[in-house]
Amino acid sequence: PTVELIEFLSHRKLPWIWWDAEKEKIIIVVDNHLASMYRACPQHFVYSAIYGVAPKADKMEGEAARIWFLDFGIILHKMIELYYKDFRTPGFEPLKWATERATKEWFEMRMDVHAEHKEYKLIGGLPGFVGLLCQFAHVFTPENEKRRRSGQEVSFGKRGEVPLLVNDDVEFYLAGRMDLIVDDGYFICPMDHKSEGYFKGDPAIRYETEEGPTGYVFALHKLLPQMVEEDQILKRDCNKILMNLISKKPTNTPAERFKRVPLRKTTDQLAQYQDRMITTCVHLLNDVENLAHAMPVYRNTFACTDWKHGLCKYRDVCRQGSREGEQATLQNGYVQVQLGD
């Protein structure tokens, strides 16, 4: 690494890349969200994950604009986490979990700021969310869930549990958080939950090549020796992930609203995944080096008007005719946000 890069990192204090003076190495820790964002558009990544700026909210002065998809994912995962933590406990009341606790979490997150979003209306706001959770508890009862829970909300990252590459110059690590790790006697595997607006065709197709599920299987291979006895690992296959897919749109019957899809990953697929992640980290490091030398990074201009089926939130910055215009737009239309750890 150059002196300029080390100075750049010492001033920025980024949570996912830093210079380790003791090891004399660059350390990078990335999760699927960061890697996917960078691959989609390096310039978007720079604004979001390096400069830490977000568009101002329309209604609340000084606050960053809220994103429905992120907020709904957070509250849904929180409720599912609470469910699987206690649903086998004697005295657990699914109705109380789906109504009182869900209402509390909903108002604490101020989810009604999304009242005009089409998916908020699709699900039916808080009453619809409560209904979804009631259906979830009706389908995934303790009697129906035969798999033994081996772990829940298992985090990995900065402690170096899942290395991608370690050499004399750099260390790359994978980060993430698995919803559940389950054991059915044949497989020990992650279980992840994803929500869709509604099911169209085979909802599993989009996840067959998505990096997130592959990354969880890759991570579990590294984590298992730290979690269970070696003889238990030898008796299980660990090359699978279960995807619990949830439709936000109500369905005719509760069972139609949830689909559990198994995805298998071969040893070769996991090795290729590791190589792709290493390549991404190398490109990312090169772009941070460019920034340290006041050089621009690549912009994927196709994403300006098609960022997750909408406009990129940094389009107004990138469309300016000068650097002065870009800086003025950032100052007037954006706020500084805390970078995720």
Side-chain angles (χ1 to χ4, degrees), residues 276-335:
R276 287 194 301 273
M277 290 299 292
I278 292 172
T279 300
T280 298
C281 289
V282 170
H283 290 168
L284 180 51
L285 179 57
N286 289 337
D287 272 341
V288 177
E289 180 83 65
N290 287 336
L291 289 175
H293 288 84
M295 294 293 292
V297 300
Y298 168 75
R299 290 179 177 176
N300 175 16
T301 55
F302 289 104
C304 295
T305 54
D306 187 19
W307 187 269
K308 298 182 179 179
H309 309 295
L311 295 177
C312 172
K313 61 184 178 182
Y314 301 112
R315 178 175 176 272
D316 281 346
V317 182
C318 294
R319 63 193 288 267
Q320 298 303 314
S322 65
R323 291 191 177 185
E324 291 77 14
E326 291 178 359
Q327 291 303 313
T329 304
L330 286 170
Q331 184 175 353
N332 296 325
Y334 294 76
V335 294

Side-chain angles (χ1 to χ4, degrees), residues 52-309:
V53 293
K56 289 180 179 178
D58 293 333
K59 298 180 180 179
M60 299 183 181
E61 188 68 27
E63 285 197 9
R66 300 273 295 278
I67 300 174
W68 158 258
F69 301 105
L70 294 180
D71 284 352
F72 185 80
I74 290 171
I75 192 171
L76 180 63
H77 276 79
K78 176 67 177 294
M79 293 306 301
I80 291 174
E81 175 187 350
L82 292 170
Y83 180 79
Y84 279 113
K85 180 181 178 182
D86 295 326
F87 80 132
R88 296 190 192 277
T89 304
F92 175 71
E93 300 179 39
L95 186 59
K96 190 173 182 179
W97 161 80
T99 54
E100 294 181 19
R101 185 58 186 266
T103 300
K104 176 177 178 293
E105 297 292 337
W106 186 273
F107 285 123
E108 284 185 357
M109 284 192 63
R110 295 186 287 120
M111 291 296 291
D112 290 330
V113 301
H114 301 293
E116 296 305 313
H117 194 282
K118 62 180 182 180
E119 283 198 355
Y120 177 102
K121 297 176 180 178
L122 180 69
I123 195 173
L126 175 58
F129 184 58
V130 169
L132 183 152
L133 295 177
C134 287
Q135 291 178 326
F136 185 93
H138 176 76
V139 173
F140 299 110
T141 64
E143 294 75 23
N144 291 339
E145 289 284 36
K146 302 298 184 183
R147 297 169 179 83
R148 182 173 65 88
R149 185 183 67 188
S150 298
Q152 182 170 351
E153 297 301 323
V154 178
S155 299
F156 52 93
K158 285 192 172 182
R159 294 188 298 275
E161 303 94 332
V162 186
L164 295 164
L165 174 68
V166 177
N167 61 27
D168 293 338
D169 301 312
V170 297
E171 294 184 9
F172 300 157
Y173 297 96
L174 181 65
R177 192 182 191 200
M178 285 183 269
D179 291 354
L180 288 168
I181 298 174
V182 296
D183 182 354
D184 64 3
Y186 300 97
F187 291 90
I188 297 178
C189 61
M191 182 188 293
D192 196 27
H193 295 80
K194 297 290 185 184
S195 60
E196 306 276 347
Y198 59 93
F199 295 142
K200 182 179 180 181
D202 183 358
I205 290 178
R206 63 168 292 193
Y207 296 104
E208 290 178 345
T209 56
E210 192 174 278
E211 296 284 51
T214 310
Y216 284 140
V217 177
F218 176 85
L220 188 58
H221 275 260
K222 305 289 186 180
L223 293 171
L224 268 182
Q226 308 168 37
M227 300 175 60
V228 299
E229 298 294 332
E230 184 177 359
D231 64 322
Q232 294 301 310
I233 300 176
L234 295 174
K235 297 175 183 177
R236 305 288 195 278
D237 190 335
C238 309
N239 284 14
K240 182 175 78 170
I241 182 171
L242 295 176
M243 302 295 296
N244 258 9
L245 307 180
I246 301 170
S247 169
K248 297 187 183 83
K249 182 179 180 179
T251 54
N252 294 328
T253 64
E256 294 176 352
R257 201 168 190 178
F258 310 98
K259 295 183 183 294
R260 179 166 292 175
V261 179
L263 298 177
R264 297 291 298 271
K265 300 295 176 179
T266 65
T267 302
D268 189 51
Q269 284 177 306
L270 297 179
Q272 289 186 43
Y273 167 82
Q274 181 176 4
D275 290 341
R276 287 194 301 273
M277 290 299 292
I278 292 172
T279 300
T280 298
C281 289
V282 170
H283 290 168
L284 180 51
L285 179 57
N286 289 337
D287 272 341
V288 177
E289 180 83 65
N290 287 336
L291 289 175
H293 288 84
M295 294 293 292
V297 300
Y298 168 75
R299 290 179 177 176
N300 175 16
T301 55
F302 289 104
C304 295
T305 54
D306 187 19
W307 187 269
K308 298 182 179 179
H309 309 295

